[in-house]
Amino acid sequence: MANTAEAHHDDHDHHMPGFFTRWFCSTNHKDIGTLYILVSFIAAIIGGAMSWYIRLELAEPGIQYIDDFQFYNVLVTAHGFLMVFFVVMPAMIGGFGNWFVPLMIGAPDMAFPRMNNISLWLLVAGFILLLLSAVIGDGPGTGWTVYPPLSNQEYQPGPSVDLGILSLHLAGASSILGAINFIVTIFNMRAPGMTIHRMPLFVWAILITAFLLLLALPVLAGALTMLLTDRNFGTAFFVSGQGGDPVLWQHLFWFFGHPEVYIIIIPAFGIVSQIVSTFSNKPVFGYLGMAYAMSAIGVVGFIVWAHHMFTIGFDVSTRAYFTAATMVIAVPTGVKIFSWLATMWGGSIKFEVPMLYALGFIFLFVVGGVTGITLANASADLVFHDTYFVVAHFHYVMAIAAILAMFAGYFYWIGKMSGRKYPRGLAKLQFWVFFIGVNVLFFPQHFSGFAGMPRRIPDYPAPYEGWNYVSSLGALITMIGTILFFIIVWRTFYGEEAEANEWGEGATTLEWAVASPAPWHTHEVLPDMTGKAPAE
Amino acid sequence: MASSESNHPYHLVNPSKWPFVGSLAGFIMATGGIYYMHDGSIFAFLAGTALMLYVMYGWWSDVISEAEGGVDHTSVVKHGLRVGMVLFITSEVMFFFAFFWAFFDATVPLITRTAHEIWPPEGVVPFAAFGIPFLNTLILLTSGATVTVAHHKILHGDRAGCGRWLAYTVILGLIFTGLQAYEYIHATFGFTDGIYSSTFYLATGFHGFHVIVGTLFLLVCYFRTKKGHFTADTHIGFEAAAWYWHFVDVVWLFLFVCIYWWGGSGYVPPS
Ligand code: HEM
Ligand SMILES: [Cu+2]
């Protein structure tokens, strides 16, 4: 193993360490970022496979493949957890955040490189626990929201739910440490002259996301701890028969859960801002407005949580408040959408693959935003709650919009990360297949939901058949798009060499000033940003 | 690497096995804990905990030797460490936020009308707030003062004085923990006696755990003064421990006022 114990005096080597040291004991933000992306890929394959299996079952009414309904619920639960905690978050924050925050602010690495590595490995440990939870015992059939009483020992006996709880504890600890690391890095390690108001918007996005993680995840940790002691040590937090309150769980969960959806989408905002500006060959329109719109979304995101709970029997004024507060978020969100449009306005737009994905993101996010405003109405939500309308809504905003932004970031930065260019034609094809796929997959779910089809259910009456069939076809197209993506990843290893700046004058941020692939150590001489324009 | 040829004030850390081994320890603790909860032996959990303690010892020993080496911890790096500690404490505050929420959910009809009409619930005999809990408040407040004196000592370069006042603080911390334990033993309500017990024991229990951690942190600082660590302008480890201790102190004040005092005030002794 590494010579760490003795090597307290930093003779920080510049030659590459051996395999185990390099990949398991890493203190290098790029290597750690790469490992995060790898984790995300693996989790995406598993989480994706689960969702396609669900769609296969739902393609027609009746029971085809999944006759164990607990197993169906386990698939839904594991899919949700995997996608949220082990696909999107690792790729955007751990992967792109690690790779590009130091590069963009002109820092040689993260503030706490060792802590960076424990964030990664705690995530891996959490990932393994989650997979174990699905295969040991009956699996957790609770949905990703883990509401009691369904999640109590009585209805979910055995260790599965406990494994899920501890999986989230480890993933949460990983994210909290990562958040601290990002905040300190961004506050403390910006290149000379790069003031807060000159940071690229992606860095802003990660900064705000880190604050959300720091404040929201410990609340989830507290709630999970209560659930764990309720299940195993006889406490009564959520047990109504003993004076507890199941609704308390919902409050705590969603106090975390709503910020969580912004944790997923704000990094996407950051990526899309970089890309739209690069390929419009213009600085982002309203840079400060964009930065503070994200901040506003982050702040308001903490006071809207009960819009997920409209059906529990609030009084009218509480419903009115949460409806209104939720709708307020549309204002900063609108600022973002219109600023992206204004950035493109009059720009010389290049429709490279990252730009296609960024545009796809904007489209999906608008659709999901509109259904979000619909659902924000407490009186409408009483009807839509727990229907496929909700499934369609949240997949548009936080699932496929986020995935499109991840693809956008991948194609934007893969040259920088690997030194190779992706196959352009194939990637364009992949974009269209995937984009059409996800829309065919999720748009019809609005209709099923409108017609009253409940979520989390393996069977449904025949009248819902048509749109479900279309939706499953969409899942098939999406699957083809995903396979194409992995073919592209593989082909990239044999691609042409990428220049330092593939994208030309539009790409102004600091990562384009270093060679491709980015050398193992970068910015060892700090770039001087004094007097330079905001680096958006 | 803040060595002579470095162009920047940051600390690039050498590769380290501790993060990986630490995660492994976390994994063993988690699986071992679940095994124990489902009627297995506790051995795996304890083994994981032991490994975790070993990692903490090794990792923080590395940090301390980097600090004492004198080159790595530049003023910029130290600033980063301070901000990091503040952020960590912020996350801890949010953890306690959840338990206070649980308490108020049970006692005050906030936005859901699920609170209890009588609190403490019938049959629960709470502690008299102005008995041992108030004594504990005084002890913690005093310990906050002694740790501040220790800080002033080190600021004036008086390392031995700093160590002495740290020792007083540690002793006060131990007395607090002892009194809490005494109280738990003599409680009239058990751990599994319903929502009052749940909120009481988890909130005060996690606080007690943090007191123990804080005491150990201060104790490490005490031994570091004995080894000649810390100077008037460099004592990040001490500062972090002191901040942590103040945080523990403040949480207690909230616990005392909300759970012991106000939360016990509705008690009507049987006539
Ligand atoms: C590959 C494309 C995807 C497909 C085909 C898909 C499909 C599904 C299906 C069929 C369900 C179950 C609905 C139900 O029975 O109620 C579901 C639920 C869910 N999905 Fe996806 N999904 C995809 C991508 C994603 C992504 C990328 C995310 C996250 C960022 C995500 C997050 C969720 C969540 C949170 C749930 C709710 C789980 C629950 O009800 O507890 N999905 N998805
Ligand atoms: Cu929400």
Side-chain angles (χ1 to χ4, degrees):
Chain A
M1 196 164 288
N3 53 349
T4 37
E6 308 92 272
H8 18 252
H9 277 288
D10 287 294
D11 43 354
H12 192 78
D13 310 316
H14 279 249
H15 58 255
M16 208 57 92
F19 180 84
F20 183 80
T21 307
R22 175 165 183 199
W23 295 109
F24 288 84
C25 305
S26 179
T27 46
N28 179 296
H29 71 106
K30 302 187 190 83
D31 285 350
I32 293 175
T34 305
L35 289 173
Y36 264 114
I37 293 176
L38 195 67
V39 171
S40 169
F41 275 178
I42 297 170
I45 293 171
I46 303 173
M50 289 176 168
S51 67
W52 292 311
Y53 196 38
I54 302 172
R55 279 308 335 161
L56 195 62
E57 173 58 53
L58 292 175
E60 22 179 316
I63 297 299
Q64 278 74 239
Y65 305 95
I66 308 177
D67 45 16
D68 175 354
F69 296 164
Q70 169 76 6
F71 179 60
Y72 182 88
N73 290 343
V74 172
L75 284 178
V76 171
T77 310
H79 160 75
F81 275 139
L82 281 172
M83 288 298 192
V84 172
F85 288 94
F86 299 98
V87 177
V88 178
M89 287 170 65
M92 301 245 210
I93 307 169
F96 296 142
N98 251 310
W99 256 95
F100 293 105
V101 165
L103 276 178
M104 284 179 160
I105 63 174
D109 207 302
M110 295 284 285
F112 306 121
R114 250 178 317 222
M115 196 167 89
N116 199 10
N117 199 31
I118 201 170
S119 292
L120 166 76
W121 288 106
L122 282 176
L123 185 83
V124 174
F127 182 31
I128 298 173
L129 279 177
L130 191 74
L131 297 180
L132 286 179
S133 91
V135 295
I136 289 182
D138 296 331
T142 58
W144 85 295
T145 48
V146 209
Y147 281 9
L150 181 59
S151 54
N152 288 350
Q153 196 69 262
E154 207 180 337
Y155 302 103
Q156 305 285 324
S160 304
V161 171
D162 300 318
L163 282 159
I165 289 172
L166 287 178
S167 156
L168 293 188
H169 263 315
L170 292 190
S174 148
S175 292
I176 291 170
L177 296 177
I180 294 173
N181 218 338
F182 278 115
I183 297 173
V184 175
T185 306
I186 295 170
F187 279 169
N188 205 29
M189 297 177 73
R190 296 187 314 277
M194 183 178 284
T195 57
I196 288 268
H197 284 167
R198 286 189 182 155
M199 305 189 307
L201 283 172
F202 179 67
V203 180
W204 266 100
I206 293 289
L207 179 65
I208 293 161
T209 306
F211 270 107
L212 298 187
L213 286 166
L214 188 79
L215 299 175
L217 274 168
V219 180
L220 175 71
L224 289 168
T225 308
M226 294 176 210
L227 189 61
L228 193 72
T229 55
D230 268 15
R231 284 175 53 82
N232 297 293
F233 300 106
T235 57
F237 287 102
F238 311 124
V239 186
S240 47
Q242 297 170 47
D245 176 15
V247 173
L248 168 65
W249 168 267
Q250 301 192 18
H251 280 300
L252 293 171
F253 181 85
W254 288 113
F255 187 81
F256 144 81
H258 191 82
E260 172 67 26
V261 307
Y262 292 133
I263 288 165
I264 284 186
I265 212 65
I266 288 179
F269 289 165
I271 295 173
V272 168
S273 297
Q274 302 302 140
I275 291 177
V276 168
S277 146
T278 297
F279 295 100
S280 306
N281 203 357
K282 274 174 68 188
V284 164
F285 177 89
Y287 165 82
L288 277 185
M290 288 293 244
Y292 284 98
M294 283 192 280
S295 314
I297 292 173
V299 172
V300 183
F302 275 102
I303 50 173
V304 298
W305 75 92
H307 62 210
H308 297 273
M309 307 163 54
F310 281 137
T311 55
I312 66 155
F314 290 130
D315 55 33
V316 172
S317 42
T318 308
R319 289 188 215 172
Y321 163 74
F322 281 105
T323 296
T326 305
M327 294 208 177
V328 164
I329 296 195
V331 177
T333 314
V335 168
K336 300 208 68 75
I337 301 285
F338 287 114
S339 298
W340 285 320
L341 297 182
T343 306
M344 287 183 267
W345 188 266
S348 57
I349 302 180
K350 280 190 281 182
F351 289 101
E352 292 288 346
V353 179
M355 184 65 166
L356 291 178
Y357 268 111
L359 295 175
F361 167 88
I362 296 174
F363 172 78
L364 295 176
F365 192 73
V366 168
V367 174
V370 169
T371 53
I373 292 290
T374 316
L375 290 169
N377 292 277
S379 29
D381 186 68
L382 290 184
V383 183
F384 289 134
H385 184 75
D386 261 343
T387 67
Y388 258 82
F389 191 79
V390 174
V391 176
H393 155 70
F394 73 69
H395 275 92
Y396 261 88
V397 263
M398 85 165 191
I400 49 177
I403 295 282
L404 257 72
M406 279 160 56
F407 280 144
Y410 178 86
F411 287 111
Y412 187 53
W413 282 316
I414 187 61
K416 184 56 62 189
M417 295 191 284
S418 71
R420 302 276 171 175
K421 287 186 175 168
Y422 57 85
R424 213 155 146 260
L426 200 57
K428 281 198 173 160
L429 176 71
Q430 192 256 347
F431 166 76
W432 286 110
V433 174
F434 198 85
F435 182 73
I436 293 170
V438 291
N439 280 293
V440 176
L441 164 57
F442 289 114
F443 209 83
Q445 296 184 1
H446 292 114
F447 310 142
S448 317
F450 245 87
M453 175 163 162
R455 70 190 273 207
R456 294 175 176 165
I457 197 140
D459 191 6
Y460 50 83
Y464 294 125
E465 177 169 14
W467 288 122
N468 268 292
Y469 187 70
V470 177
S471 178
S472 289
L473 274 185
L476 184 66
I477 304 175
T478 308
M479 187 166 92
I480 296 171
T482 311
I483 294 172
L484 270 177
F485 175 72
F486 282 104
I487 294 178
I488 291 171
V489 172
W490 170 65
R491 296 277 298 138
T492 306
F493 289 114
Y494 306 97
E496 319 165 34
E497 283 182 20
E499 312 84 82
N501 180 356
E502 296 176 61
W503 308 123
E505 352 161 25
T508 53
T509 41
L510 279 173
E511 79 268 34
W512 305 111
V514 305
S516 291
W520 208 47
H521 288 299
T522 38
H523 296 319
E524 288 191 293
V525 177
L526 303 182
D528 186 2
M529 301 300 287
T530 319
K532 302 253 170 77
E536 76 272 19
Chain B
M1 77 159 174
S3 52
S4 48
E5 84 278 18
S6 174
N7 302 303
H8 57 71
Y10 306 124
H11 178 201
L12 296 192
V13 183
N14 282 328
S16 164
K17 68 185 174 213
W18 300 121
F20 181 70
V21 183
S23 305
L24 188 68
F27 182 78
I28 298 173
M29 282 173 74
T31 42
I34 288 167
Y35 186 58
Y36 169 63
M37 285 179 233
H38 291 271
D39 307 323
S41 96
I42 198 172
F43 177 75
F45 175 76
L46 292 180
T49 311
L51 185 60
M52 186 63 100
L53 292 173
Y54 170 66
V55 168
M56 289 174 170
Y57 178 81
W59 186 335
W60 289 329
S61 298
D62 282 0
V63 175
I64 289 172
S65 50
E66 286 155 9
E68 293 301 313
V71 279
D72 294 325
H73 287 197
T74 63
S75 62
V76 175
V77 171
K78 283 192 278 189
H79 181 247
L81 287 167
R82 285 198 194 94
V83 177
M85 190 64 197
V86 170
L87 293 171
F88 175 69
I89 290 177
T90 310
S91 79
E92 291 267 57
V93 169
M94 292 310 286
F95 182 73
F96 278 98
F97 181 83
F99 291 94
F100 278 99
W101 191 327
F103 173 72
F104 287 116
D105 184 89
T107 51
V108 193
L110 289 171
I111 58 175
T112 12
R113 304 196 174 275
T114 45
H116 290 247
E117 265 151 36
I118 23 176
W119 191 269
E122 233 169 304
V124 175
V125 183
F127 292 107
F130 285 90
I132 292 181
F134 186 63
L135 180 61
N136 261 343
T137 308
L138 296 179
I139 289 172
L140 272 194
L141 286 176
T142 313
S143 74
T146 53
V147 83
T148 307
V149 176
H151 197 181
H152 280 282
K153 294 284 176 198
I154 195 69
L155 284 175
H156 292 99
D158 177 3
R159 190 178 289 137
C162 175
R164 204 164 54 244
W165 286 91
L166 269 171
Y168 300 152
T169 316
V170 169
I171 291 168
L172 288 169
L174 290 176
I175 296 176
F176 175 93
T177 308
L179 286 175
Q180 274 306 79
Y182 174 85
E183 204 186 54
Y184 278 11
I185 294 167
H186 292 85
T188 56
F189 44 92
F191 187 75
T192 58
D193 286 351
I195 186 67
Y196 184 89
S197 300
S198 305
T199 50
F200 178 85
Y201 281 113
L202 260 77
T204 59
F206 272 112
H207 175 262
F209 175 71
H210 281 74
V211 170
I212 294 171
V213 170
T215 310
L216 288 172
F217 201 170
L218 292 168
L219 194 64
V220 169
C221 291
Y222 168 79
F223 284 116
R224 288 187 65 189
T225 61
K226 293 282 155 201
K227 289 190 97 180
H229 295 181
F230 301 143
T231 61
D233 50 33
T234 298
H235 44 267
I236 298 285
F238 174 85
E239 268 177 278
W243 288 346
Y244 194 81
W245 194 250
H246 287 312
F247 150 70
V248 167
D249 203 353
V250 172
V251 172
W252 173 261
L253 292 181
F254 278 95
L255 286 174
F256 176 73
V257 172
C258 301
I259 293 189
Y260 286 94
W261 187 4
W262 177 76
S265 62
Y267 175 64
V268 189
S271 42

